[in-house]
Amino acid sequence: MPIKPNALQPLNAAVLSDTLDSLGLMQQAMKPFMRPLDDSLQLIGRARTGLYMPVYAPPAKGENPYDVEIALVDDLAPGEVVVLACDGPTERIAPWGELLATASVARGATGCVTDGLVRDVKQIREMRFPVFCGGIGPLDTKGRARMVDRDVRVMCAGVAVRSGDLVFGDVDGVVVIPQEAEQEVVRLALEKISGENQSRDALQRGEKLADVFRRIGIL
Amino acid sequence: MPIKPNALQPLNAAVLSDTLDSLGLMQQAMKPFMRPLDDSLQLIGRARTGLYMPVYAPPAKGENPYDVEIALVDDLAPGEVVVLACDGPTERIAPWGELLATASVARGATGCVTDGLVRDVKQIREMRFPVFCGGIGPLDTKGRARMVDRDVRVMCAGVAVRSGDLVFGDVDGVVVIPQEAEQEVVRLALEKISGENQSRDALQRGEKLADVFRRIGIL
Amino acid sequence: MPIKPNALQPLNAAVLSDTLDSLGLMQQAMKPFMRPLDDSLQLIGRARTGLYMPVYAPPAKGENPYDVEIALVDDLAPGEVVVLACDGPTERIAPWGELLATASVARGATGCVTDGLVRDVKQIREMRFPVFCGGIGPLDTKGRARMVDRDVRVMCAGVAVRSGDLVFGDVDGVVVIPQEAEQEVVRLALEKISGENQSRDALQRGEKLADVFRRIGIL
Amino acid sequence: MPIKPNALQPLNAAVLSDTLDSLGLMQQAMKPFMRPLDDSLQLIGRARTGLYMPVYAPPAKGENPYDVEIALVDDLAPGEVVVLACDGPTERIAPWGELLATASVARGATGCVTDGLVRDVKQIREMRFPVFCGGIGPLDTKGRARMVDRDVRVMCAGVAVRSGDLVFGDVDGVVVIPQEAEQEVVRLALEKISGENQSRDALQRGEKLADVFRRIGIL
Amino acid sequence: MPIKPNALQPLNAAVLSDTLDSLGLMQQAMKPFMRPLDDSLQLIGRARTGLYMPVYAPPAKGENPYDVEIALVDDLAPGEVVVLACDGPTERIAPWGELLATASVARGATGCVTDGLVRDVKQIREMRFPVFCGGIGPLDTKGRARMVDRDVRVMCAGVAVRSGDLVFGDVDGVVVIPQEAEQEVVRLALEKISGENQSRDALQRGEKLADVFRRIGIL
Amino acid sequence: MPIKPNALQPLNAAVLSDTLDSLGLMQQAMKPFMRPLDDSLQLIGRARTGLYMPVYAPPAKGENPYDVEIALVDDLAPGEVVVLACDGPTERIAPWGELLATASVARGATGCVTDGLVRDVKQIREMRFPVFCGGIGPLDTKGRARMVDRDVRVMCAGVAVRSGDLVFGDVDGVVVIPQEAEQEVVRLALEKISGENQSRDALQRGEKLADVFRRIGIL
């Protein structure tokens, strides 16, 4: 039975990363160039992937350069997170902005993760819609890039993502939990949280780190 | 008749970038390494350019290494924006700081854009003087770089800028509007803003993105 | 007689950098990829260095991969700053996090500087513990890197640091003051501050920059 | 009337670049990461462009991931040069190798230019087929990238290229001559060659560079 | 039964890379910054790994900074290849040079692969000892880096290598064959070679690439 | 008494680098992006420096953009090496080419070192004039950069160079010997060469590296 995304709310990216590491899954944290637009927001949801290619010419007359990305957004279900792979980091394109965010919120989507740039940052922050991105810039994709496929396996900021994978983001970064491992990851991560609480308490009381680590085994 | 800079206040960098794109001017947005010191401030004004070269030795005895940049700042007129080209991004020099900002404010200047670093960030933020820069660092230019020319064509963060060009910056980035195109750009951008408002309203009502885009044609 | 760190409180990174420059010490400011987690905090203290190496395999059974860093933290004295050299900037490791910060605070340490990543950023900010780092990310060092030496000369973000050197950080960046020069640096920096105050006042009154610079000689 | 490519044989990349510069076309030389496999070979021909996108999954069962590139190669006419745009420099893919080169030679093609990698370097050198590339590597495109369009405008190593543009490569690099300007460029370049010969002779006789430049005006 | 390295002599890096890809092993080719000192030499052998860390101080008095690397070289057996992981590409250190090559040849070693730099390039080329490296430079490791471990899992130019893995290099690059897969890889690669020969023959006869690919299925 | 440059002929870049290291001069080898046009040529001579700045506009009417570089070349004395600092590595400019090389040879100059690009590579190789550069490209400096100063301290590929410093280049790279240290450096380097010969002989006889290093102390 798949995990309900809100089971991840007590967790954080660091604990999830450590837990994935402990299972030998060491490539699940996106690279640090990925930053939240609003670092007070937690992003949790199941991925819906979109894959971009670079283009260097305006669209042909009558052609809709946004067709695949419109179809992806209109197909979003509640609790899903849009993951846009642009072979980033990039300086060239901002595939996400206010109108796409507005449409996604209307479908119940819970965030967007892209290794491209994002624009309309002020408005997106006011919406309190969680977005993690590879930078900020005003550049529309038209004539610069195009989403050519969706719901395929992509690499985003160094991590493989498939539609359906759990995505978690907070101020420490973005972590992807492969579907196959999600039950075990979430269970172990919840356990680890309580060990960390004990360590913190002991350290605040002034105990030596060596002693605390020997006893609780968490750093 | 040239545009009055305050005509740009209702606009934003994304709409200006789209409008410039639509006229085939696709190289007008500075690269995303350029960030505002205060992302709540809008920067609008006409460029006054300065061009730096690297140096690797202290200035000769009696030589004033700041002469060209002092002359540029003392020559600023109200509504002008200082644009300092350092072949950035750079780790080596911070050509802008509190004292230059103070002198610029005294002349009525409305901002500074540099692909170099900036220092005295706390004080500049308190002045609410709009600055967009390639990074933050304490390194003075003395013995590291020197402004050797001003009011010449420069490249700053990937965009050609001439003194007199309109410069616009907000949280989404910095856009440069060539003088020749400014009338048309501002007119078209103001039109586009109203289309976006309609799209947003429709999407918030839950309309499908495909339908909204088909009807209004704006994304 | 060594300087007391709190003598540096009236100073800032820009003035210290200029002063070091004036003594021919032009490599003392860390590169601008180093940013504070909380840019309202000043970091002042004496360095305690740790040196990391990359590893590409999990630790052997029974081995404690954190032994050197635990020993460093448990040995901290009040007023010391942990300086962790990871050959950064890096995408691979976050050698600093909440538990190490908690243990350091308990020993009276006054900050951490690392060219690696940092995690548990929310909690560290709540502690108001000054940290300057090369980025943010959730990745534990276990199986990725290991501290192999401490209290040795390291390079951190382009600056040589030895245990005992004074480290100063504020929103403009991190500056390292070699022990040999600290008396002279602090004395000259305090003098320079007052010259800057005069310049600022004159510029705010609308005096020309050229005149102010000619009279006071500070920019 | 279009230029016959063999009219370019007496020319070289440096003279062509200077001539394009003199007409204000300053973005026509590919970036220096582009190097010839055999620097004794001259490449001359008309471009046929191919555009790649990254993929991160194996092709679907029964799908031919090479279909567009096979069609491009089978459609080559004598005197044409394949130009493959991979958003390079890249470490990920080698879109060109021995079998494609063999097929191209059979159609009379005169070279390949790609900002991707190239493989089967030994065999291609033995064929004396001119190839300029962004590097060397064994990685097939299958599962890593896919040519999705051809005969469209592309950017390759910083230069815009359209099918039909003249492409010239020698040990100094690759230059692209837009069709509209080719008559004038070739005429002026041939003229410049003779001025250079005079300068060289004068310098070899020991004349001062200042005098030679004053007289002939070429450097 | 393990493969005898000389069974790989008829192969090449491209065929091995394709074969590894076909088994889902897509991370086995080192990045293209790795180049041979002599591109006419084939490198084949079993890896012996060494792992470097950066240091920023001269060795302590009486300390031998080369102890681990001397031990590795003195322990080499015939048919082994030294693999030195320096977290490259790097500008800082050349861990390999003539004397180490001379000692390795004396032990029967068949090559060196390092993501660091190499020096004494002229002499090593005269020895016809196969070396693939991340660049060329004169900088000794003393005071800059130190080999701290050997015969551990390392990453070298993007590929995981363990002592005992087969390493193959030619002008197209370096490929690592994990021990577990070596029997199957070599068998399949030898088969693929013959298919390529048929394709080449057909293409040279002028057959369309589409037809050849449909019939033989190799590109 | 200054060293005669031809006293350096028996030396090589690796031995000079080690010797400079042994005197604590660890920043004297240029970065490895600097490569010789012809790796069989040794470059030896005394530096004459030129310093470039970027420009982004064509020269004004009647202005000679080459004036400083012409003056430098016409002023060269026998045994001097031109060192051109372009803040490289760069993709933008090739400040050196055949005509400058021809003029330099006529004055008795013995080489050129630049962190910019070089053009007319075929002709320069035929002249057997030693050139070490940051890359190859056809781009003239006119409208892109300008030499604005000469015989000043510059940084070239990471090394400080002043006119008069000894410059040595071979296939392993470029090393700069500060004038103050040249007597001692050359004397010690010549001594080290003989120790290396003994080590090589012993290793070729099959002696263990550990024994050879213990006895002769050279690696």
Side-chain angles (χ1 to χ4, degrees), chain A residues 18 21 172 200 208-210, chain C residues 74 98 119-121 138 144:
Chain A
D18 288 358
D21 279 358
D172 285 346
R200 187 188 308 107
K208 285 273 176 182
L209 189 54
Chain C
D74 278 340
E98 183 198 8
R119 63 188 222 169
D120 305 326
V121 161
R144 294 189 179 90

Side-chain angles (χ1 to χ4, degrees), chain A residues 64-76 100 147 150, chain B residues 208-214 219:
Chain A
N64 173 4
Y66 304 117
D67 54 356
V68 184
E69 93 202 73
I70 287 173
L72 175 62
V73 168
D74 278 340
D75 190 45
L76 290 171
L100 292 174
M147 194 198 285
R150 60 183 177 101
Chain B
K208 284 272 176 183
L209 188 54
D211 299 331
V212 174
F213 182 70
R214 197 174 310 118
L219 198 73

Side-chain angles (χ1 to χ4, degrees), chain E residues 64 66 70 73-74 91 98-100 102-103 106-107 117 119-122 125 136-140 142 144, chain F residues 13-14 17-18 21 26 29 31-32 35 39 171-172 196 199-200 203-204 206-210 213 218-219:
Chain E
N64 174 4
Y66 305 118
I70 287 174
V73 168
D74 278 341
E91 301 173 333
E98 184 198 7
L99 295 184
L100 291 175
T102 303
R107 303 275 158 273
L117 308 174
R119 63 189 222 169
D120 307 325
V121 161
K122 182 163 169 276
R125 283 175 175 152
I136 294 172
L139 294 163
D140 191 18
K142 186 158 64 174
R144 294 190 179 89
Chain F
S17 176
D18 288 358
D21 279 357
M26 295 191 69
K31 293 190 184 176
R35 292 279 72 218
D39 62 21
V171 61
D172 284 347
E196 288 191 353
S199 293
R200 187 189 308 107
L203 294 169
Q204 282 171 342
E207 249 187 273
K208 285 272 177 183
L209 189 54
F213 182 70
I218 278 173
L219 197 73

Side-chain angles (χ1 to χ4, degrees), chain C residues 115-129:
Chain C
D115 57 4
L117 308 174
V118 168
R119 63 188 222 169
D120 305 326
V121 161
K122 181 163 171 277
Q123 299 90 323
I124 293 175
R125 283 176 175 152
E126 286 165 3
M127 297 165 65
R128 296 186 61 73
F129 183 72

Side-chain angles (χ1 to χ4, degrees), chain D residues 159-178:
Chain D
V159 181
V161 191
R162 295 157 306 167
S163 288
D165 287 341
L166 278 174
V167 182
F168 183 97
D170 66 17
V171 60
D172 284 348
V174 181
V175 175
V176 178
I177 307 165

Side-chain angles (χ1 to χ4, degrees), chain F residues 5-199:
Chain F
N6 59 11
L8 280 72
Q9 278 173 12
L11 297 175
N12 58 59
V15 152
L16 282 167
S17 176
D18 288 358
T19 308
L20 288 155
D21 279 357
S22 72
L23 301 170
L25 299 165
M26 295 191 69
Q27 308 290 332
Q28 299 306 122
M30 290 193 182
K31 293 190 184 176
F33 72 79
M34 294 293 290
R35 292 279 72 218
L37 287 190
D38 178 340
D39 62 21
S40 72
L41 298 180
Q42 201 184 38
L43 175 150
I44 305 176
R46 290 201 180 271
R48 292 297 301 280
T49 64
L51 178 54
Y52 282 79
M53 70 175 289
V55 300
Y56 306 100
K61 262 261 143 92
E63 193 190 1
N64 174 3
Y66 305 118
D67 54 356
V68 184
E69 95 202 71
I70 287 174
L72 174 62
V73 169
D74 278 341
D75 190 45
L76 290 172
E80 290 183 338
V81 166
V82 180
V83 177
L84 304 180
C86 305
D87 200 23
T90 180
E91 300 173 335
R92 290 188 69 237
I93 54 162
W96 195 255
E98 183 198 8
L99 295 183
L100 291 175
T102 304
S104 300
V105 166
R107 301 278 158 269
T110 53
C112 172
V113 172
T114 178
D115 57 4
L117 307 175
V118 168
R119 63 189 223 167
D120 307 325
V121 161
K122 182 163 169 275
Q123 299 90 322
I124 293 174
R125 283 175 175 154
E126 285 165 4
M127 298 165 65
R128 296 186 60 73
F129 182 73
V131 174
F132 288 70
C133 60
I136 293 172
L139 295 163
D140 191 18
T141 53
K142 186 158 64 173
R144 294 190 179 89
R146 182 166 178 172
M147 194 198 287
V148 274
D149 218 341
R150 60 183 178 99
D151 294 318
V152 291
R153 182 181 188 268
V154 298
M155 297 296 288
C156 183
V159 181
V161 191
R162 296 156 305 167
S163 288
D165 287 341
L166 279 174
V167 181
F168 183 98
D170 66 17
V171 61
D172 284 347
V174 181
V175 176
V176 178
I177 307 166
Q179 286 161 264
E180 300 76 8
E182 67 182 45
Q183 303 252 22
E184 189 170 13
V185 168
V186 173
R187 182 177 54 79
L188 292 172
L190 289 167
E191 283 173 25
K192 186 167 199 288
I193 288 265
S194 81
E196 288 191 353
N197 291 340
Q198 295 172 49
S199 293

Side-chain angles (χ1 to χ4, degrees), chain A residues 64 66 70 73-74 91 98-100 102-103 106-107 117 119-122 125 136-140 142 144, chain B residues 13-14 17-18 21 26 29 31-32 35 39 171-172 196 199-200 203-204 206-210 213 218-219:
Chain A
N64 173 4
Y66 304 117
I70 287 173
V73 168
D74 278 340
E91 300 173 335
E98 183 198 9
L99 295 184
L100 292 174
T102 304
R107 302 278 158 271
L117 308 175
R119 62 188 224 169
D120 306 325
V121 161
K122 182 164 170 276
R125 283 174 174 154
I136 294 171
L139 295 162
D140 190 19
K142 186 158 65 173
R144 295 191 178 88
Chain B
S17 176
D18 287 357
D21 279 358
M26 294 190 70
K31 292 190 184 175
R35 294 276 73 218
D39 62 21
V171 61
D172 284 348
E196 288 191 353
S199 293
R200 187 188 308 106
L203 293 169
Q204 282 172 341
E207 251 188 271
K208 284 272 176 183
L209 188 54
F213 182 70
I218 279 173
L219 198 73

